[in-house]
Every structure is written in structure tokens, then in C-alpha cells.
Amino acid sequence: MTLKLTYFDIRGLAEPIRLLLNDQEIPFEDNRISREEWAEMKSTMIFAQLPCLHIGTETIVQSAAILRHLGRIYGLNGSTESETSFIDMFSEGLRDLRTKYFTMIKTDYEDGKEAYITETLPGELLRIEKLFCTFNNGENFVSGDKLSYADYALFELLDIHLILTPTALNGTPALKRFHGRFAERPNMRLYLNKRAELNPFVSGNGKQ
Ligand SMILES: N[C@@H](CCC(=O)N[C@@H](CS)C(=O)NCC(=O)O)C(=O)O
């Protein structure tokens, strides 16, 4: 089965998907397109947006649907209904914070960054940390002993906040430990080192 992930040459909404594929050693074509190519392609996309995953003969869009699809087929979606629901719930919570982050980055970076860092972020991260500590006191993965797609989404969300402010995780020690641990998974380390050479922007407007 061939996999082709199409997105822009930024981290954005595709990066948790790239992290999962690289960490799991799933071969895929990382198709990073230019704005000119996008202008040609936009009208052919289901919701006129990216990312898009071609997987065999299937086409899947919507970043969360892509991540969940990969989670289901590669065994990264929990082992019971209750685990899967927890993973979904956790991911949707992450999505809410990611939306706040990208809204600030895209619409209010100059005026809103400081307030986001000092007023919005600490409470949001504390809530995520509390939920993360549900299983094994946060010493393993989101859903306990078993890795899931949510771990990739969590890692990327923490990582982009560390770019925004290097002290982002100082008030959430379990999340900080998770970030450090996860970055040292051998395939993650390989990918992160490779990515560091290219250093793509988090967002299309170059603010991060
Ligand atoms: N809900 C969608 C949002 C997709 C989205 O906002 N994509 C943006 C890039 S991050 C896009 O395609 N922008 C180009 C455009 O709308 O023309 C998802 O999660 O995949």
C-alpha cells in the first residue's frame, strides 16, 4: 500500500501525521507543495484544503481524520472502546489549544503573544497535564502503557509551544518529561535531527 501525504512545506496541521509515519517507520511520500502548485490543485480537494493523504486507492482529508485512520490501521488507537474514547477526548482537547495557538499566530501575534503566553497558556497546559496524569501518573503515554496517535499530536503541540516560549512547560513537569522522553525515541530523534537541518516554519506566515 503506497502512502502520499500532501501539504505545504511547513509543520502546521501535517506535522503530527509526519511524526507518526516517521516514528512508526511507515514509508510515505512527503509531498510538500508550493503555493503555485496549490493554486492549481485547490479546486480538486474535497474541502479545498490540505493536508490530504492518499493511501492505496483511498483519499482522506481533514488532519484529525487522517491521524485517526492511521491510528486504526497501525494499532495506535487504544485496545478497548474506553481507551479509544479517552484518546479521542484527549486529542480533541489538544485541538482546542492548537486552535487558540494558530488563531493567535495568524491574527494577533504582535499584540496578543504575551497575553497568550502569560494568561491563556498556563491554565490550558495545567488541564492537559492533569488529564495526562490519569494513567501511570503521566510516566508513559497518553493512554497509559500503550502508544497512540494522540502522543504524536501531544508532542507536536508541546514542541511548538517551546518555540513560542522556551519556558512553556516549566509549570507542567509531567508534560515536560513526556516531551523530553518522546523526542529521544530513536526514530523520532532521527526525524527531528533531519528536520532541524531544514527547519520548516510552524505556520504559513512564518510567525512562531
Ligand atoms: N479542518 C482542516 C483544516 C485544514 C486547513 O485549514 N488547511 C489549511 C492549511 S493549515 C489550507 O489548506 N489552507 C489553504 C487554503 O485554504 O487555500 C484540517 O484539520 O485538515
Side-chain angles (χ1 to χ4, degrees):
M1 187 163 54
T2 60
L3 273 76
K4 178 174 169 181
L5 178 66
T6 301
Y7 193 60
F8 307 104
D9 188 16
I10 56 170
R11 287 165 62 166
L13 294 176
E15 198 62 14
I17 304 166
R18 294 189 187 116
L19 294 177
L20 183 154
L21 292 169
N22 277 284
D23 187 51
Q24 294 294 315
E25 296 183 296
I26 300 163
F28 74 107
E29 181 186 343
D30 193 356
N31 183 33
R32 294 167 185 250
I33 64 165
S34 67
R35 288 282 158 187
E36 292 71 33
E37 288 170 295
W38 175 235
E40 296 282 309
M41 189 191 285
K42 184 173 168 77
S43 64
T44 69
M45 283 292 144
I46 300 170
F47 291 109
Q49 287 189 317
L50 294 174
C52 169
L53 182 72
H54 287 105
I55 177 162
T57 56
E58 281 180 285
T59 301
I60 306 174
V61 296
Q62 294 292 346
S63 54
I66 295 171
L67 212 48
R68 286 196 176 113
H69 185 79
L70 294 172
R72 282 192 295 276
I73 55 180
Y74 292 108
L76 299 164
N77 195 37
S79 307
T80 62
E81 286 295 330
S82 146
E83 268 177 29
T84 302
S85 298
F86 186 86
I87 292 164
D88 285 346
M89 177 175 79
F90 199 96
S91 301
E92 292 302 314
L94 297 180
R95 192 221 297 251
D96 287 349
L97 176 55
R98 198 183 57 219
T99 300
K100 286 179 190 165
Y101 166 87
F102 277 115
T103 301
M104 179 277 292
I105 291 283
K106 287 180 182 166
T107 66
D108 196 26
Y109 186 82
E110 280 73 22
D111 294 335
K113 179 181 164 182
E114 274 322 302
Y116 177 86
I117 290 172
T118 56
E119 292 163 28
T120 306
L121 191 56
E124 296 281 341
L125 287 175
L126 277 175
R127 275 186 284 276
I128 294 172
E129 161 121 334
K130 189 170 170 212
L131 192 59
F132 183 65
C133 289
T134 306
F135 298 108
N136 304 348
N137 211 20
E139 291 307 326
N140 293 66
F141 302 112
V142 165
S143 70
D145 295 334
K146 200 161 167 260
L147 181 69
S148 72
Y149 75 82
D151 292 291
Y152 298 99
L154 175 60
F155 178 80
E156 176 64 5
L157 189 66
L158 300 180
D159 206 51
I160 62 179
H161 278 93
L162 287 170
I163 296 175
L164 185 73
T165 171
T167 58
L169 303 183
N170 286 3
T172 49
L175 293 180
K176 189 173 185 173
R177 283 196 300 276
F178 167 81
H179 179 270
R181 235 177 15 246
F182 209 72
E184 295 312 323
R185 291 169 61 80
N187 291 338
M188 283 288 289
R189 180 42 57 213
L190 277 176
Y191 176 71
L192 296 179
N193 288 348
K194 199 174 76 181
R195 187 182 71 187
E197 289 168 19
L198 304 167
N199 208 11
F201 287 126
V202 171
S203 149
N205 68 3
K207 295 174 185 168
Q208 53 190 37

